[in-house]
């Protein structure tokens, strides 16, 4: 859990490296479709704007193999919501309005209000939350590392999972605390991401 980390306005990117075994939520700030500030799963990217709830389905989720690393990202730029896998655009939809705000806890690998109700089972690395829509080129260029995160404009949080939940962006307000007992693996290499 990393505190109440809302992204306001009409620009966002949430991204991470993920190796799924089972479960659902990768990154959640929601309880239901009326209040989704952001919700990232291997199969969906979801958010609610002032005009409507948006559900972006990843049509390739069923063919993404368990125990393989993938980079997944959801973006919104005020005009389109997009879902990317490995830096490639998978699906997009026209959208407008500002993102819903809520007073919920941002949860990594779970849902904001009910620990273990929508638990993710697998491995995560290089998780980032931005208040800007990143491009496909930017996503591709920095999947495995983000140099100088403390000087990146619009970066709200960056979790490297190097034995901790420290926000490498520098804002200690969004350092996390574990619920349950995590274990730490090794960082994925570029060669393990399928094309």
């Amino acid at each position: 859990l990393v505190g109440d980390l809302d992204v306001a306005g009409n620009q966002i990117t949430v991204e991470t490296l993920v190796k799924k075994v089972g479960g659902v939520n990768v990154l959640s700030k929601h309880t239901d479709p009326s209040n989704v500030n952001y919700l990232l799963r291997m199969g969906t990217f979801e958010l609610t704007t002032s005009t409507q709830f948006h559900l972006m389905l990843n049509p390739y989720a069923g063919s993404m193999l368990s125990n393989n690393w993938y980079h997944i990202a959801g973006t919104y730029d005020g005009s389109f919501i997009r879902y990317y896998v490995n830096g490639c655009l998978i699906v997009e939809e026209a959208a407008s309005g500002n993102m819903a705000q809520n007073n919920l806890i941002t949860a990594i690998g779970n849902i904001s209000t009910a620990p273990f109700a929508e638990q993710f089972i697998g491995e995560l690395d290089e998780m980032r939350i931005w208040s800007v829509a990143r491009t496909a080129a930017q996503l591709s260029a920095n999947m495995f590392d983000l140099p100088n995160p403390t000087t990146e404009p619009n970066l709200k949080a960056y979790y490297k999972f190097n034995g901790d939940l420290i926000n490498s962006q520098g804002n200690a307000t969004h350092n996390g605390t574990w619920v349950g007992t995590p274990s730490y693996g090794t960082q994925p290499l570029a060669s393990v991401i399928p094309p």
Side-chain angles (χ1 to χ4, degrees):
L1 302 175
V2 296
D4 183 3
L5 204 168
D6 270 321
V7 178
N10 65 357
Q11 297 255 336
I12 190 171
T13 298
V14 290
E15 63 175 308
T16 193
L17 289 167
V18 61
K19 180 167 48 166
K20 181 181 178 181
V21 176
V24 187
N25 294 347
V26 173
L27 181 64
S28 162
K29 191 160 193 326
H30 88 294
T31 57
D32 60 66
S34 71
N35 66 8
V36 183
N37 188 231
Y38 45 86
L39 174 57
L40 183 64
R41 297 172 169 164
M42 285 192 76
T44 66
F45 173 54
E46 304 170 38
L47 58 85
T48 305
T49 69
S50 54
T51 59
Q52 71 183 78
F53 169 70
H54 299 273
L55 172 66
M56 304 300 297
L57 291 172
N58 172 6
Y60 302 104
S63 61
M64 294 170 74
L65 302 175
S66 293
N67 295 314
N68 277 12
W69 283 100
Y70 297 92
H71 181 271
I72 61 174
T75 71
Y76 174 48
D77 65 5
S79 298
F80 287 92
I81 298 173
R82 296 179 172 99
Y83 188 98
Y84 296 86
V85 176
N86 295 341
C88 298
L89 179 63
I90 300 300
V91 62
E92 69 179 351
E93 173 183 300
S96 62
N98 287 332
M99 293 174 293
Q101 304 295 285
N102 60 48
N103 293 319
L104 301 169
I105 298 298
T106 295
I108 296 172
N110 221 315
I111 190 169
S112 297
T113 57
F116 309 113
E118 295 182 3
Q119 186 175 11
F120 174 81
I121 302 166
E123 295 182 55
L124 301 169
D125 201 7
E126 294 293 316
M127 180 173 285
R128 302 168 200 146
I129 302 170
W130 303 79
S131 61
V132 68
R134 306 267 289 166
T135 66
Q138 289 170 322
L139 294 170
S140 295
N142 296 117
M143 285 185 206
F144 299 96
D145 188 42
L146 185 66
N148 307 311
T150 58
T151 62
E152 284 284 345
N154 305 306
L155 179 63
K156 306 273 282 178
Y158 177 22
Y159 305 100
K160 295 180 73 66
F161 305 112
N162 290 338
D164 56 44
L165 256 180
I166 301 272
N167 179 9
S168 298
Q169 175 269 349
N171 182 351
T173 302
H174 297 299
N175 288 345
T177 56
W178 291 114
V179 174
T181 308
S183 60
Y184 297 97
T186 57
Q187 184 173 12
L189 303 172
S191 61
V192 303
I193 300 290

